[in-house]
Amino acid sequence: MARTLFRRSIVIFFLALILAYSFCVIQPATCYIIEAEWVERIEIYARAVDANTTAEIVVCVFPSLYGHGVKDHSGAEIHDIVKLGVYIFNEEPLEVYDGIQTGIGKKGKDNGVLILVALEERQWRIEVGYGLEGDITDIEANLIAQNYLVPAFQQGNYGEGLYDTVVALGQQIPASNEPNNLKLRGYYYYESANTSGSSSTPFWEWEIFGIPLWVIIIFILFGVLFPVFRRGPSRGGGRWGGGRSGGGGAGGRW
Amino acid sequence: MKGKIVVAIVAIIAVIVFASFAVMYFSTYNKLVALNASVDEKWAQVEQELQRRYDLIPNIVSAARAYMAYEGSILQNVTALRSQWMNALRSGNMDAINNATAQMESGITGLIVTFEAYPDLRSSEVIQSLMITLEGTENRISTERMRFNEAVRDYNTAIQSFPANLWAAGWGFTVKSYFEAQVGSTEVPPLNF
């Protein structure tokens, strides 16, 4: 009995690890670049926008355009910020509160906005979904970034710059008149785990999203042994479809 | 008695083979129709974005005219390329479209490079807005072009693989051309007008 439980827990542990790796090139915030306080404000504001307008404003922070592990259809890592934005917007499965969603914005409405920044290259990009191209024109997206993102980023105030940009973009999106029974996205801030460095560190020092691996192992074992701990998102659950974009928006450097 | 059973078995097998053949035949046809429709749909998206660029050019030219009085030929060149390109688009010939688009793109890039020599022009708000819109349009075109090419690739692969390759020609499905991303279109071409 105890042996089967142990065996089962090992199997589940490895399955969980595989799942964790397969889904998590980009993760909801566990903040090691942007201050937690700002991330929280971004999340709160973006959630309010989602609730009022159904539109999803998503922030994605990349330490660099190299080594992030997001690959196109041919299997090559994407280094161009425009292409990366289009890919993340439309094809990268991102964790939302009740599963995984591919495509930012609501299905059919295509009302997503992606703010993507690459810190090392000092590049920003705002990708606007098809459904919002009229509300946030390329010129407006550029103006908002020039007014809020660029000056703050030049001073190193990343969190503030991102928050102000999110708010300014949110103000462009009109409230939804239709009865709103669409699910909230839940997560709006993501960071890319830079995968290039992890190969050189020994596995006992691995960190996944800033949490040491051994902590995760213990938690997973606990989760298996005591099902009470197993709450939270059912990975791989529904919600595959989301909004689409086609390269609209603006981009630049700071 | 025995002979009847054999006949019955053979008949059943024949029916099964025929039925599965028919299912395969029709599902292959339906699959090609769907892929073909997908290519058409993505081409419509590409055309829409090309139209956006087409509509933008007169605005850029007229905004630039005031500043570039002495270099009217550059503006004329872009205008000429614009109509040449629209004709190609109307003809529906993919080679002509590819060719005209390449010229158009290098013309526009050349125009933007020329703007650099005019600080007044560059700092003009109208031109800045137009440049941002143009940049957005170029991004949209390259995105839709990529999607179109992916759809063409899926379609071409499908009609060339077994068993579709046996029937595709008979159904009128032929290999489609890609809308090529021009080699070096991301680089700045030399000023040649």
Side-chain angles (χ1 to χ4, degrees):
Chain A
M1 178 63 204
R3 195 177 286 176
T4 17
L5 192 62
F6 180 68
R7 229 182 265 162
R8 198 177 295 165
S9 66
I10 288 183
V11 170
I12 292 175
F13 164 64
F14 278 107
L15 281 178
L17 259 194
I18 290 165
L19 266 180
Y21 273 110
S22 58
F23 279 122
C24 298
V25 182
I26 304 175
Q27 273 302 304
T30 41
C31 326
Y32 41 93
I33 300 174
I34 309 297
E35 309 88 312
E37 174 205 344
W38 285 112
V39 170
E40 201 174 316
R41 294 181 69 176
I42 289 169
E43 290 273 5
I44 290 169
Y45 187 83
R47 187 170 294 123
V49 171
D50 194 349
N52 294 331
T53 71
T54 76
E56 299 177 4
I57 303 177
V58 168
V59 175
C60 211
V61 175
F62 276 65
S64 167
L65 290 174
Y66 291 83
H68 50 69
V70 178
K71 298 187 173 84
D72 65 13
H73 295 295
S74 63
E77 194 175 77
I78 306 171
H79 298 146
D80 176 77
I81 196 162
V82 177
K83 292 202 177 94
L84 187 61
V86 171
Y87 189 87
I88 290 173
F89 197 113
N90 296 285
E91 294 177 66
E92 178 76 14
L94 293 173
E95 196 174 331
V96 294
Y97 86 97
D98 65 344
I100 302 287
Q101 182 180 320
T102 305
I104 297 170
K106 301 293 185 285
K107 192 179 174 70
K109 289 177 164 251
D110 299 331
N111 54 354
V113 182
L114 171 67
I115 304 165
L116 175 64
V117 293
L119 298 177
E120 203 181 312
E121 287 80 9
R122 300 172 79 91
Q123 288 184 31
W124 60 270
R125 165 96 192 135
I126 296 175
E127 172 88 12
V128 180
Y130 285 127
L132 288 175
E133 284 187 1
D135 298 310
I136 305 170
T137 63
D138 298 356
I139 294 166
E140 283 163 339
N142 180 66
L143 202 64
I144 287 169
Q146 297 300 344
N147 287 344
Y148 299 104
L149 191 142
V150 171
F153 271 53
Q154 279 169 348
Q155 315 233 314
N157 301 328
Y158 300 133
E160 189 188 349
L162 286 172
Y163 174 74
D164 289 347
T165 306
V166 169
V167 171
L169 288 169
Q171 285 167 351
Q172 298 287 324
I173 303 169
S176 170
N177 298 324
E178 302 161 41
N180 176 12
N181 46 17
L182 296 168
K183 281 183 176 176
L184 291 188
R185 181 184 179 88
Y187 296 149
Y188 304 91
Y189 179 84
Y190 300 82
E191 279 183 6
S192 124
N194 217 332
T195 52
S196 61
S198 65
S199 55
S200 56
T201 48
F203 78 90
W204 56 89
E205 283 175 24
W206 279 1
E207 287 187 345
I208 302 178
F209 335 129
I211 306 164
L213 187 62
W214 60 270
V215 173
I216 294 174
I217 292 174
I218 288 174
F219 259 85
I220 290 171
L221 287 178
F222 263 85
V224 171
L225 295 175
F226 304 100
V228 185
F229 285 96
R230 277 196 301 196
R231 292 190 290 122
S234 57
R235 284 180 171 282
R239 303 246 302 205
W240 278 91
R244 290 176 58 75
S245 78
R253 292 166 187 274
W254 68 81
Chain B
M1 186 61 201
K2 225 177 191 180
K4 268 187 184 170
I5 291 175
V6 170
V7 168
I9 289 173
V10 168
I12 289 169
I13 291 174
V15 166
I16 290 172
V17 167
F18 181 77
S20 52
F21 178 82
V23 165
M24 191 172 73
Y25 185 81
F26 290 118
S27 67
T28 305
Y29 180 77
N30 288 344
K31 188 180 147 207
L32 293 190
V33 168
L35 287 170
N36 189 37
S38 164
V39 170
D40 289 348
E41 177 206 321
K42 299 214 159 103
W43 178 249
Q45 284 285 90
V46 172
E47 267 195 337
Q48 185 188 323
E49 301 306 338
L50 291 176
Q51 183 69 40
R52 187 202 289 262
R53 171 157 73 186
Y54 180 78
D55 294 340
L56 207 56
I57 287 164
N59 294 333
I60 295 174
V61 168
S62 66
R65 183 150 283 150
Y67 297 89
M68 300 174 75
Y70 302 110
E71 299 197 39
S73 62
I74 292 171
L75 301 174
Q76 269 168 22
N77 191 329
V78 175
T79 312
L81 285 171
R82 174 182 183 259
S83 30
Q84 181 190 330
W85 173 61
M86 200 57 195
N87 288 336
L89 208 56
R90 283 215 192 88
S91 77
N93 178 341
M94 196 53 99
D95 287 341
I97 294 172
N98 272 331
N99 193 10
T101 306
Q103 290 189 35
M104 183 84 249
E105 273 167 12
S106 84
I108 288 176
T109 321
L111 185 65
I112 293 168
V113 171
T114 314
F115 283 179
E116 298 297 312
Y118 294 81
D120 292 350
L121 179 68
R122 233 183 332 158
S123 58
S124 138
E125 226 166 80
V126 181
I127 282 291
Q128 275 187 356
S129 305
L130 287 168
M131 285 299 118
I132 292 159
T133 314
L134 184 61
E135 192 192 325
T137 305
E138 299 303 317
N139 288 336
R140 286 179 177 88
I141 291 171
S142 66
T143 302
E144 303 301 352
R145 170 150 61 190
M146 183 189 74
R147 287 181 184 157
F148 169 75
N149 285 339
E150 279 172 7
V152 170
R153 192 196 54 212
D154 290 347
Y155 167 88
N156 284 346
T157 312
I159 66 168
Q160 287 166 354
S161 23
F162 184 82
N165 60 346
L166 303 177
W167 310 314
W171 288 330
F173 293 108
T174 50
V175 173
K176 289 182 193 282
S177 311
Y178 292 96
F179 184 34
E180 303 288 350
Q182 294 306 321
V183 179
S185 68
T186 51
E187 293 160 25
V188 177
L191 277 175
N192 50 6
F193 32 69

